[in-house]
Amino acid sequence: MSTAIQQRAHAIWVILLTFFIAYLLAIVPFPEWAMNFRPEWVPLVLMYWVMALPYRVGIGSAWVAGLLLDILEGSALGLNAMGMVIIAYVTLSLHQRLRMFSLLQQSGLVFTLMGLNLLLTHWLQIVTGQTVTSSLFFLMGALTSAILWPSLFQLLRHIRRSFDVH
Protein backbone atom coordinates (compact mmCIF):
# COMPACT_ATOMS: atom_id res chain seq x y z
CA MET A 1 0.00 0.00 0.00
CA SER A 2 1.38 3.41 -0.88
CA THR A 3 2.20 6.02 1.72
CA ALA A 4 -0.50 8.43 0.48
CA ILE A 5 -3.22 5.79 0.86
CA GLN A 6 -1.97 4.84 4.33
CA GLN A 7 -1.90 8.50 5.39
CA ARG A 8 -5.42 9.06 4.06
CA ALA A 9 -6.76 6.01 5.92
CA HIS A 10 -4.93 7.14 9.05
CA ALA A 11 -6.50 10.60 8.80
CA ILE A 12 -9.99 9.16 8.40
CA TRP A 13 -9.59 7.10 11.58
CA VAL A 14 -8.43 10.13 13.58
CA ILE A 15 -11.43 12.15 12.40
CA LEU A 16 -13.84 9.28 13.11
CA LEU A 17 -12.36 8.77 16.57
CA THR A 18 -12.91 12.43 17.48
CA PHE A 19 -16.52 12.16 16.32
CA PHE A 20 -16.96 8.94 18.32
CA ILE A 21 -15.76 10.70 21.48
CA ALA A 22 -18.10 13.62 20.73
CA TYR A 23 -21.03 11.19 20.42
CA LEU A 24 -20.10 9.61 23.75
CA LEU A 25 -19.98 13.03 25.38
CA ALA A 26 -23.32 13.91 23.79
CA ILE A 27 -25.09 10.97 25.47
CA VAL A 28 -23.37 11.05 28.86
CA PRO A 29 -26.12 11.37 31.46
CA PHE A 30 -26.37 14.76 33.14
CA PRO A 31 -28.48 15.69 36.15
CA GLU A 32 -31.85 17.10 35.11
CA TRP A 33 -30.93 20.63 36.25
CA ALA A 34 -27.78 20.61 34.05
CA MET A 35 -29.29 19.28 30.81
CA ASN A 36 -29.72 22.76 29.35
CA PHE A 37 -26.02 23.46 29.92
CA ARG A 38 -24.83 20.45 27.90
CA PRO A 39 -22.39 21.62 25.21
CA GLU A 40 -23.16 20.75 21.61
CA TRP A 41 -20.24 18.32 21.28
CA VAL A 42 -20.94 16.83 17.85
CA PRO A 43 -21.63 20.17 16.10
CA LEU A 44 -18.48 21.61 17.71
CA VAL A 45 -16.31 18.77 16.43
CA LEU A 46 -17.98 19.03 13.02
CA MET A 47 -17.33 22.76 12.91
CA TYR A 48 -13.65 22.24 13.72
CA TRP A 49 -13.09 19.59 11.04
CA VAL A 50 -14.99 21.55 8.38
CA MET A 51 -12.87 24.58 9.19
CA ALA A 52 -9.59 22.64 9.33
CA LEU A 53 -10.16 20.22 6.43
CA PRO A 54 -12.97 21.58 4.23
CA TYR A 55 -12.04 19.29 1.34
CA ARG A 56 -12.41 16.19 3.54
CA VAL A 57 -15.30 17.00 5.93
CA GLY A 58 -18.25 18.85 4.43
CA ILE A 59 -21.99 18.94 4.03
CA GLY A 60 -22.36 15.22 3.33
CA SER A 61 -20.39 14.40 6.46
CA ALA A 62 -22.58 16.81 8.40
CA TRP A 63 -25.74 15.08 7.19
CA VAL A 64 -24.44 11.65 8.21
CA ALA A 65 -23.21 12.99 11.57
CA GLY A 66 -26.63 14.55 12.19
CA LEU A 67 -28.48 11.35 11.31
CA LEU A 68 -26.26 9.38 13.70
CA LEU A 69 -27.00 11.93 16.42
CA ASP A 70 -30.73 11.59 15.68
CA ILE A 71 -30.46 7.83 16.12
CA LEU A 72 -28.46 8.14 19.34
CA GLU A 73 -30.86 10.67 20.86
CA GLY A 74 -33.96 8.88 19.61
CA SER A 75 -35.25 12.01 17.91
CA ALA A 76 -37.04 12.29 14.59
CA LEU A 77 -34.70 11.45 11.71
CA GLY A 78 -33.38 14.59 10.13
CA LEU A 79 -33.93 16.79 13.18
CA ASN A 80 -30.26 17.18 14.06
CA ALA A 81 -29.12 16.50 10.51
CA MET A 82 -30.66 19.72 9.20
CA GLY A 83 -28.96 21.80 11.89
CA MET A 84 -25.63 20.11 11.24
CA VAL A 85 -25.90 20.79 7.51
CA ILE A 86 -26.54 24.47 8.20
CA ILE A 87 -23.55 24.64 10.56
CA ALA A 88 -21.35 22.89 7.99
CA TYR A 89 -22.55 25.17 5.19
CA VAL A 90 -21.86 28.39 7.12
CA THR A 91 -18.50 27.09 8.34
CA LEU A 92 -17.58 25.94 4.84
CA SER A 93 -18.55 29.32 3.42
CA LEU A 94 -16.46 31.17 5.99
CA HIS A 95 -13.63 28.69 6.64
CA GLN A 96 -10.85 30.90 5.24
CA ARG A 97 -12.04 33.91 7.22
CA LEU A 98 -12.53 31.82 10.36
CA ARG A 99 -8.89 30.76 10.28
CA MET A 100 -7.91 34.43 10.58
CA PHE A 101 -10.30 35.13 13.47
CA SER A 102 -9.06 35.07 17.04
CA LEU A 103 -10.42 32.31 19.26
CA LEU A 104 -12.66 34.89 20.95
CA GLN A 105 -14.14 35.92 17.60
CA GLN A 106 -14.56 32.26 16.65
CA SER A 107 -16.36 31.72 19.96
CA GLY A 108 -18.82 34.44 18.99
CA LEU A 109 -19.61 32.62 15.76
CA VAL A 110 -19.85 29.32 17.66
CA PHE A 111 -22.35 30.93 20.03
CA THR A 112 -24.41 32.19 17.10
CA LEU A 113 -24.35 28.91 15.13
CA MET A 114 -25.06 26.71 18.15
CA GLY A 115 -27.85 29.05 19.20
CA LEU A 116 -29.40 28.85 15.74
CA ASN A 117 -29.00 25.07 15.80
CA LEU A 118 -30.74 24.84 19.18
CA LEU A 119 -33.53 27.19 18.04
CA LEU A 120 -34.05 25.15 14.87
CA THR A 121 -34.09 21.89 16.82
CA HIS A 122 -36.51 23.37 19.36
CA TRP A 123 -38.81 24.61 16.60
CA LEU A 124 -38.72 21.24 14.81
CA GLN A 125 -39.54 19.47 18.10
CA ILE A 126 -42.60 21.71 18.43
CA VAL A 127 -43.63 20.98 14.83
CA THR A 128 -43.21 17.21 15.28
CA GLY A 129 -45.19 17.24 18.53
CA GLN A 130 -42.39 16.24 20.88
CA THR A 131 -42.50 17.65 24.38
CA VAL A 132 -40.43 20.80 24.77
CA THR A 133 -39.87 23.47 27.38
CA SER A 134 -41.56 26.83 27.02
CA SER A 135 -38.62 28.95 28.23
CA LEU A 136 -35.54 29.97 26.28
CA PHE A 137 -33.29 28.38 28.91
CA PHE A 138 -32.44 25.61 26.42
CA LEU A 139 -30.13 28.12 24.69
CA MET A 140 -27.61 27.85 27.54
CA GLY A 141 -25.98 24.99 25.58
CA ALA A 142 -24.88 27.57 23.00
CA LEU A 143 -23.17 29.58 25.72
CA THR A 144 -21.33 26.60 27.19
CA SER A 145 -20.31 25.54 23.68
CA ALA A 146 -18.87 28.99 22.99
CA ILE A 147 -17.01 28.95 26.30
CA LEU A 148 -15.54 25.51 25.54
CA TRP A 149 -14.62 26.35 21.93
CA PRO A 150 -11.11 27.76 22.52
CA SER A 151 -10.05 24.70 24.56
CA LEU A 152 -11.66 22.23 22.17
CA PHE A 153 -10.14 24.02 19.18
CA GLN A 154 -6.64 23.84 20.72
CA LEU A 155 -7.10 20.16 21.63
CA LEU A 156 -8.34 19.12 18.19
CA ARG A 157 -5.62 21.15 16.47
CA HIS A 158 -3.01 19.42 18.64
CA ILE A 159 -4.47 16.03 17.73
CA ARG A 160 -4.57 16.94 14.04
CA ARG A 161 -0.95 18.07 14.05
CA SER A 162 0.28 15.18 16.22
CA PHE A 163 -1.21 12.59 13.90
CA ASP A 164 -0.31 14.60 10.77
CA VAL A 165 -3.90 14.73 9.55
CA HIS A 166 -4.34 16.75 6.38
Side-chain angles (χ1 to χ4, degrees):
M1 193 181 326
S2 75
T3 306
I5 294 173
Q6 285 176 332
Q7 192 172 25
R8 180 175 166 87
H10 180 70
I12 290 170
W13 281 111
V14 171
I15 294 168
L16 289 176
L17 181 63
T18 59
F19 271 107
F20 178 74
I21 293 169
Y23 284 119
L24 287 178
L25 290 170
I27 61 170
V28 167
F30 270 41
E32 190 62 36
W33 63 269
M35 286 302 288
N36 288 323
F37 294 96
R38 179 190 299 269
E40 295 292 302
W41 292 109
V42 179
L44 284 172
V45 170
L46 173 74
M47 190 172 169
Y48 173 79
W49 286 116
V50 170
M51 189 170 67
L53 303 172
Y55 50 87
R56 187 171 294 218
V57 180
I59 293 174
S61 303
W63 182 257
V64 171
L67 287 177
L68 286 173
L69 191 58
D70 287 331
I71 292 168
L72 273 177
E73 292 180 348
S75 59
L77 277 180
L79 191 75
N80 288 304
M82 182 56 84
M84 300 279 267
V85 165
I86 292 169
I87 289 171
Y89 176 76
V90 171
T91 305
L92 199 57
S93 299
L94 300 173
H95 80 276
Q96 290 179 338
R97 289 184 197 146
L98 281 173
R99 290 177 178 182
M100 295 173 36
F101 285 2
S102 70
L103 286 176
L104 186 61
Q105 290 171 321
Q106 288 179 9
S107 290
L109 183 66
V110 165
F111 177 72
T112 304
L113 287 177
M114 297 307 143
L116 287 172
N117 182 41
L118 288 169
L119 281 170
L120 177 68
T121 303
H122 186 74
W123 179 73
L124 288 173
Q125 286 174 339
I126 291 171
V127 169
T128 58
Q130 297 177 4
T131 58
V132 292
T133 60
S134 60
S135 71
L136 292 177
F137 200 59
F138 68 91
L139 291 173
M140 291 305 292
L143 181 62
T144 56
S145 297
I147 291 169
L148 284 173
W149 175 254
S151 300
L152 183 66
F153 178 87
Q154 296 289 348
L155 175 66
L156 289 174
R157 184 169 68 175
H158 177 73
I159 290 169
R160 181 175 56 89
R161 289 179 176 173
S162 296
F163 290 100
D164 194 29
V165 177
H166 58 272

